[in-house]
Amino acid sequence: MYFNLRYENEELVFINQTLLPFKEEYIHTDDYNRIAEAIERLEIRGAPAIGVAGAYALVLSQKKAIDPALFEKAYKRLAGARPTAVNLVWALNKIKDCFSISCTFAGLVDAAVALHRDDERRCELIGKYGCEIFVKKSRVITHCNTGRLATAGEGTAFNVIKQGYLNGQVEFVYADETRPLLQGSRLTAFELGKNNIPFSIISDGMSSHFMSKGLVDIAITGADRIAANGDSANKIGTFALAIACKYHNIPFYIAAPKSTIDSNIENGLGIPIEMRKGDEVLFANGTPVTLPEYTALSPSFDVTPAELIHGIITEDGIYSYPYNFREV
Ligand code: MRU
């Protein structure tokens, strides 16, 4: 079975997600800068996963010697790798809290491993509580990838789907392909396939069609940052999916660990949205889809307003609208 992140022999081992589903290749490194590059290139991706990988990377910067100047340099490099998912800075700050001139490399490793185990536990509880949303055997739609590949455990929204399937509460999954980088058709499909869960890939614009035919019962996605009022940033296209759900009276849920909540940000207007290179839209898996002289825009995330979110599934249970995450 595949894995996402592992700490072994004083190195981080991670699967290169840009090659999936065609090739399962694992990279071994103890270089924090290589891990920062992997986060930027989406070899490692998904909000909780980049948090845990970032934590290991920061710790690995101290492998040769405890060096406060290098620690600060590595912190800045990693924190700047991706701006939207708050889990990255959240996890880096947890390591920073443990750091002092008198700490040891082994002590820092223990702190990163504890974050890894903590994310596993959060995913497990999200999967457990999340099954309460299924009122009948359901056909579920999801967007982007929220499974083992996006976390350090078994996933958020994906783990709700997986546990629901194992309980007999989920019968079929529509996996949005998730343009431009195809986390749905490459990664969610890969994970659904590995778990023998029946599914079809649909392109992002097809969801309303299937909803209008009465073929979708419920939608669940993950999140990269949730503001205090519940406005939730997730992969571009999530907002459109939530609007389509509202129109068709289909409950739309977010599943995320509380490390994704940013109580310092009042609402979605304050969430930084990563702009990526237009080339990600102009090419599909390296092949141009249009003429080279054309330009494209590529915001990586959008913000779904809290009022469109039926419930937010966390490791502490399910919250309902209106949300108040000012003190989490
Ligand atoms: O750009 P990505 O692939 O890192 O975006 C990931 C998502 O939008 C996920 O839905 C989100 O991080 C939740 S992961 C459990």
Side-chain angles (χ1 to χ4, degrees), residues 58-88:
L58 186 55
V59 168
L60 284 166
S61 75
Q62 303 299 296
K63 184 170 152 179
K64 288 200 184 106
I66 297 299
D67 177 342
L70 183 59
F71 185 89
E72 205 45 46
K73 187 175 165 199
Y75 177 96
K76 285 203 182 106
R77 170 77 181 96
L78 290 158
R82 291 198 78 188
T84 300
V86 73
N87 309 61
L88 178 56

Side-chain angles (χ1 to χ4, degrees), residues 46-48 83-87 143-144 146 221-239 252 254-256 260-262 265 267-274 300-306 309 312:
T84 300
V86 73
N87 309 61
H143 192 74
C144 198
T146 59
T221 74
D224 286 76
R225 193 183 298 227
I226 301 174
N229 74 343
D231 290 353
S232 298
N234 191 49
K235 179 52 57 192
I236 193 79
T238 305
F239 183 18
F252 172 86
I254 293 272
T260 302
I261 296 173
D262 187 347
I265 288 185
N267 59 48
L269 291 173
I271 300 179
I273 299 294
E274 176 182 11
S300 194
F301 300 94
D302 55 26
V303 176
T304 299
I309 305 169
I312 299 182

Side-chain angles (χ1 to χ4, degrees), residues 181-318:
L181 293 181
L182 305 170
Q183 287 92 333
S185 53
R186 295 187 306 105
L187 310 177
T188 299
F190 174 80
E191 299 209 68
L192 288 165
K194 290 275 184 190
N195 286 283
N196 298 312
I197 300 172
F199 72 97
S200 282
I201 298 163
I202 61 170
S203 70
D204 297 350
M206 292 178 185
S207 55
S208 288
H209 168 78
F210 290 105
M211 290 178 190
S212 72
K213 300 282 177 208
L215 295 171
V216 180
D217 300 304
I218 199 162
I220 322 171
T221 74
D224 286 76
R225 193 183 298 227
I226 301 174
N229 74 343
D231 290 353
S232 298
N234 191 49
K235 179 52 57 192
I236 193 79
T238 305
F239 183 18
L241 180 67
I243 292 170
C245 285
K246 180 81 174 173
Y247 182 82
H248 294 97
N249 210 15
I250 291 167
F252 172 86
Y253 285 91
I254 293 272
K258 284 189 154 175
S259 48
T260 302
I261 296 173
D262 187 347
S263 48
N264 296 318
I265 288 185
E266 181 51 33
N267 59 48
L269 291 173
I271 300 179
I273 299 294
E274 176 182 11
M275 286 301 289
R276 294 188 63 89
K277 290 204 172 82
D279 277 4
E280 292 182 349
V281 175
L282 301 173
F283 291 78
N285 270 351
T287 305
V289 294
T290 189
L291 297 178
E293 61 265 34
Y294 296 163
T295 60
L297 298 171
S298 192
S300 194
F301 300 94
D302 55 26
V303 176
T304 299
E307 67 202 78
L308 297 183
I309 305 169
H310 199 82
I312 299 182
I313 305 161
T314 73
E315 66 275 26
D316 289 340
I318 304 176

